[in-house]
Amino acid sequence: MKKIPLIAVSMITCLCILVGCGLQNDDFTFVEEDPLEEDSMENPFEQEDESLETMTMGAISHGVLWGDNNTYCLTYKGGEMEIPYFMQGSGIARNCGFLLFLDGIPQPYKVKELDTDYQYMHLFELEESKDESYTLQFTPVTGKEGEQLSVCITSIINPEFIPDMKDSFSYGHSHNALAAVYPVLFEADTGRDRALSETVNENSRQYLRNLEIKEMDTTQDFIRELEEEINIDINLEKDVETRLYISGESMLLSERVDIAGKETIHIKYIILGHPGAEYKTVFYLNHEPLAYKDGNSFETVLKSGQVGVIEFDLDTEELENTTFYAISVPCNSADYPDDVLMMYKSNSVLFYREEK
């Protein structure tokens, strides 16, 4: 079967997350770098590259098996859609889960070879550095005859890991994400199963309160603050920036929030940049999307000089050692073939209750 490598990404320990996005197949490599001489008196930041040794933590690669399909476009002809898919993992990346998005909407799916039920995430324990093939099956949650949408297939590394706040206090390399995006041509209307959607969402509707989606003007001071956080100049005509704030605190570096004694916490998510780019953002608790009224993805069309804001209160009364994160998925990448509109995942954040 035909596979096409596309992107290789390296991640250094001090970075929280790197996400790659492409039209074909993605590779993701984790590395750590350590000084060769621990007692060296030299400033490690001034040493030459030769003074560092690299240890590979793991790597993951996944993508569509195209077979005789030379169009590199998926086609929906009605009924249940099937995507032949390969994945390969090594090191810490052997333990992975996959999320699907169709036009930015969370897509429940089955895995044919595993005889599974519809779920938003399926877990895989891959053999070391071995290609494995599976068939992803689903009835599209959206789509009409004649439309061309995109499906985003996203891997999450070691998704079952949760810091225990005793021996581990952060997610480390766990929960890093890598996405592959493919066009889907609809030759038939989808047979959306509303009963199925309600079943997989039945436990997610109780947490969101007072959701508001709005736009605000950006200022140079605000952009400067974003640049100082990452120490990189931002080009908002080409780049996209996202931030997650919980109770007013940026989660760019933080990975845990003590919810002891709190009935609700306030969530604020912002996205800005590349004018005309359309993104849908999904919020997750333990890898299950949170729904509000009739939807579980929230759309933002980016505009020059403005920032998209999604705000809500999250009910925390019943939460115990819970992972929370946000994912923003591009919906119109094909409109900008010369640019790279990527998927963005926030840090995973642990909601825990500190023992008194």
Side-chain angles (χ1 to χ4, degrees):
M1 303 291 280
K2 193 184 308 180
K3 300 183 298 183
I4 298 189
L6 182 66
I7 296 176
V9 184
S10 293
M11 187 180 72
I12 309 304
T13 304
C14 62
L15 299 183
C16 296
I17 184 170
L18 292 176
V19 180
C21 180
L23 294 178
Q24 307 289 340
N25 157 46
D26 289 309
D27 304 289
F28 196 15
T29 301
F30 304 86
V31 299
E32 282 188 345
E33 293 187 349
D34 298 303
L36 289 174
E37 298 289 337
E38 291 186 357
D39 58 353
S40 171
M41 297 302 294
E42 295 182 72
N43 184 338
F45 296 101
E46 295 177 351
Q47 295 177 20
E48 297 294 330
D49 289 345
E50 291 78 8
S51 67
L52 299 177
E53 63 179 6
T54 299
M55 178 178 66
T56 301
M57 301 291 292
I60 187 168
S61 174
H62 56 86
V64 168
L65 289 167
W66 292 106
D68 297 327
N69 182 347
N70 294 318
T71 67
Y72 304 114
C73 179
L74 300 169
T75 304
Y76 177 69
K77 299 178 181 294
E80 199 167 55
M81 183 172 181
E82 293 190 346
I83 300 179
Y85 211 73
F86 86 92
M87 50 192 78
Q88 182 190 101
S90 65
I92 65 171
R94 290 176 53 235
N95 184 310
C96 57
F98 282 82
L99 299 169
L100 267 62
F101 303 86
L102 183 60
D103 195 36
I105 301 171
Q107 173 67 65
Y109 68 102
K110 301 183 293 185
V111 181
K112 185 176 183 179
E113 291 77 8
L114 303 181
D115 193 26
T116 59
D117 294 327
Y118 271 99
Q119 298 175 137
Y120 283 110
M121 173 179 278
H122 291 273
L123 304 178
F124 298 84
E125 186 67 38
L126 305 177
E127 294 189 39
E128 183 72 19
S129 300
K130 178 183 176 182
D131 277 4
E132 299 186 29
S133 300
Y134 297 94
T135 306
L136 312 181
Q137 300 175 305
F138 58 89
T139 300
V141 294
T142 188
K144 295 182 179 179
E145 182 178 356
E147 286 186 325
Q148 180 170 300
L149 304 178
S150 61
V151 60
C152 177
I153 302 175
T154 301
S155 60
I156 306 289
I157 300 302
N158 199 18
E160 293 182 294
F161 175 80
I162 296 179
D164 60 14
M165 297 304 293
K166 295 178 182 179
D167 298 319
S168 57
F169 299 89
S170 73
Y171 288 88
H173 290 309
S174 295
H175 293 214
N176 284 294
L178 181 71
V181 180
Y182 304 94
V184 182
L185 178 63
F186 280 76
E187 296 183 355
D189 292 347
T190 181
R192 182 180 178 185
D193 190 335
R194 291 188 177 275
L196 170 63
S197 298
E198 291 174 2
T199 297
V200 295
N201 281 323
E202 63 183 357
N203 294 322
S204 64
R205 297 179 181 274
Q206 58 183 309
Y207 296 106
L208 299 190
R209 304 280 187 273
N210 307 318
L211 184 138
E212 182 181 8
I213 301 175
K214 58 186 178 182
E215 295 175 345
M216 300 178 62
D217 292 335
T218 56
T219 66
Q220 287 302 313
D221 288 342
F222 177 69
I223 295 172
R224 229 176 345 260
E225 288 178 13
L226 297 181
E227 291 177 331
E228 288 174 357
E229 279 189 308
I230 58 177
N231 199 29
I232 296 175
D233 291 338
I234 299 173
N235 177 6
L236 292 179
E237 293 302 307
K238 294 290 185 180
D239 302 334
V240 173
E241 289 292 323
T242 67
R243 292 291 188 277
L244 173 66
Y245 301 88
I246 298 180
S247 300
E249 180 184 356
S250 172
M251 294 291 110
L252 187 63
L253 298 178
S254 181
E255 294 186 354
R256 56 186 183 271
V257 173
D258 180 10
I259 59 173
K262 299 176 182 176
E263 295 183 357
T264 63
I265 55 176
H266 189 70
I267 307 293
K268 179 180 178 180
Y269 186 83
I270 66 168
I271 181 169
L272 69 161
H274 195 301
E278 298 175 11
Y279 275 83
K280 287 180 181 159
T281 300
V282 184
F283 299 94
Y284 285 86
L285 283 178
N286 289 342
H287 312 296
E288 292 290 325
L290 294 173
Y292 185 79
K293 295 184 178 179
D294 293 328
N296 54 15
S297 65
F298 309 104
E299 185 175 21
T300 305
V301 179
L302 305 188
K303 299 177 182 178
S304 181
Q306 295 201 313
V307 53
V309 181
I310 305 171
E311 290 189 272
F312 56 88
D313 296 318
L314 184 69
D315 188 342
T316 59
E317 280 191 295
E318 299 180 6
L319 301 184
E320 295 285 347
N321 296 330
T322 303
T323 296
F324 175 83
Y325 58 85
I327 290 181
S328 292
V329 179
C331 299
N332 64 338
S333 300
D335 293 343
Y336 302 96
D338 296 330
D339 300 328
V340 179
L341 296 181
M342 299 170 61
M343 180 276 294
Y344 294 90
K345 176 187 176 294
S346 73
N347 275 349
S348 287
V349 177
L350 175 68
F351 293 150
Y352 74 103
R353 300 181 187 276
E354 186 172 354
E355 297 180 2
K356 305 298 183 182

